[in-house]
Amino acid sequence: MTDITIYHNPACGTSRNTLALIRNSGTEPKVILYLDTPPSRDELKKLIADMGISVRALLRKNTEPYEQLGLAEDRFSDDELLDAMLAHPVLINRPVVVTPLGTKLCRPSEAVLDILPDPQQGAFTKEDGEVVTDEHGHRVSH
């Protein structure tokens, strides 16, 4: 069994599709409901470093506290942005997936295929009807 972790929000379609793609590879991941159990500051910093992205790149913009806190302004340091994400976990974009092959913000959900060690076990169609893999588990190009 491959060791995979997903920072998941079940209310998010992209997150649900990503979780389903992981399961379609034959693996049951560790599911962290990050809104209920947010990562620590050190865990969040490690996730960001492992993804090779900026702190701001993990910031979710289309959510209430983003506007209220004025986070669109460039005046915030990385530490201040981390403080905001830790105080308001809804500001952490999702889903973040950790596998032996890497750590990635999986938007769109099929981005998870790039870091899954095991192939898809069969066809997969996203909730919106978009076909991602065929019956042989091969990625369908769009």
Side-chain angles (χ1 to χ4, degrees), residues 21 24-25 110 113 119-126 129-142:
L21 280 162
N24 197 44
S25 75
E110 57 271 21
L113 297 174
Q120 294 291 288
Q121 303 285 306
F124 183 82
T125 302
K126 289 166 49 169
E130 181 184 342
V131 176
V132 178
T133 59
D134 65 20
E135 66 274 10
H136 304 290
H138 299 121
R139 198 167 184 169
V140 175
S141 56
H142 295 281

Side-chain angles (χ1 to χ4, degrees), residues 70-91:
L71 295 175
E73 300 171 29
D74 280 340
R75 63 184 173 88
F76 294 96
S77 69
D78 283 353
D79 279 333
E80 289 170 322
L81 293 175
L82 285 168
D83 289 341
M85 285 190 262
L86 293 167
H88 308 278
V90 72
L91 288 169

Side-chain angles (χ1 to χ4, degrees), residues 3-7 43-53 58 95-106 111-112 114-116:
D3 188 23
I4 297 176
T5 300
I6 179 171
Y7 290 83
E43 289 169 332
L44 192 56
K45 286 172 81 169
K46 180 173 178 9
L47 289 170
I48 291 166
D50 289 351
M51 286 186 279
I53 63 174
L58 188 60
V96 172
V97 177
V98 180
T99 81
L101 300 182
T103 301
K104 190 172 192 108
L105 174 61
C106 295
V112 76
D114 298 336
I115 59 168
L116 287 179

